[in-house]
Amino acid sequence: MTRTLHITIGTRPDRSGLEDTLAAIDEGEDVESNPSRLSIESLATFGRIFRPTNLKLLEAIVEHEPDSIRELARIVDRHPPEVTENVHELADYGLLELEDEGRAKRPTVWYDEFEFSGDVPLRGLDTGSDTPIAP
């Protein structure tokens, strides 16, 4: 069974369904009966959260199941403080969980795939830049 995280770009963040899904996982319940949705507030935030370095971290977590953030940093060949910052950002958005393993935090991912949906209007688009695009 494939576990899917449904992601949209919305006007304000909505992680309510995601919190329910994470609670269900903690209780050992079937998460597919409670689909999870994450609404990212802007295109700029979406681009920051899903930049290649973060996607590489998520992929490494799924493939290698590291016991700590330090081990994850070693796997992706990056400095632990940078990886820690990225991991905490991903955890803040519910894209991964940090489980206490003694003094270490073990990053885990509960889903198998993303599904992106929704409309991105071209008017009033929040790109995170105040610089106008030249014609």
Side-chain angles (χ1 to χ4, degrees):
M1 173 173 65
T2 302
R3 296 170 298 185
T4 304
L5 176 59
H6 303 276
I7 301 170
T8 60
I9 299 173
T11 56
R12 50 187 200 121
D14 178 9
R15 299 180 187 106
S16 57
L18 188 58
E19 291 170 7
D20 293 342
T21 298
L22 294 176
I25 290 169
D26 289 342
E27 296 297 319
E29 297 174 15
D30 177 19
V31 294
E32 275 309 302
S33 63
N34 186 12
S36 184
R37 301 190 188 289
L38 172 63
S39 178
I40 306 282
E41 60 266 23
S42 70
L43 189 58
T45 301
F46 181 88
R48 186 181 78 242
I49 298 300
F50 292 99
R51 65 184 174 266
T53 53
N54 283 348
L55 291 174
K56 226 178 214 185
L57 290 175
L58 292 171
E59 181 180 38
I61 292 167
V62 170
E63 286 185 11
H64 301 282
E65 299 180 358
D67 290 329
S68 66
I69 296 173
R70 183 171 293 284
E71 183 180 345
L72 175 61
R74 184 187 52 74
I75 290 167
V76 296
D77 195 28
R78 291 182 48 210
H79 295 288
E82 295 169 0
V83 171
T84 298
E85 184 177 323
N86 294 143
V87 163
H88 283 281
E89 180 179 45
L90 292 169
D92 287 346
Y93 276 88
L95 294 167
L96 60 83
E97 287 189 299
L98 292 171
E99 298 176 358
D100 290 326
E101 293 285 327
R103 292 178 46 194
K105 300 257 188 214
R106 183 168 69 92
T108 60
V109 174
W110 61 267
Y111 49 85
D112 301 307
E113 65 184 15
F114 297 129
E115 179 181 282
F116 299 101
S117 64
D119 299 322
V120 179
L122 292 177
R123 290 183 188 257
L125 187 63
D126 178 4
T127 60
S129 173
D130 293 331
T131 308
I133 298 172

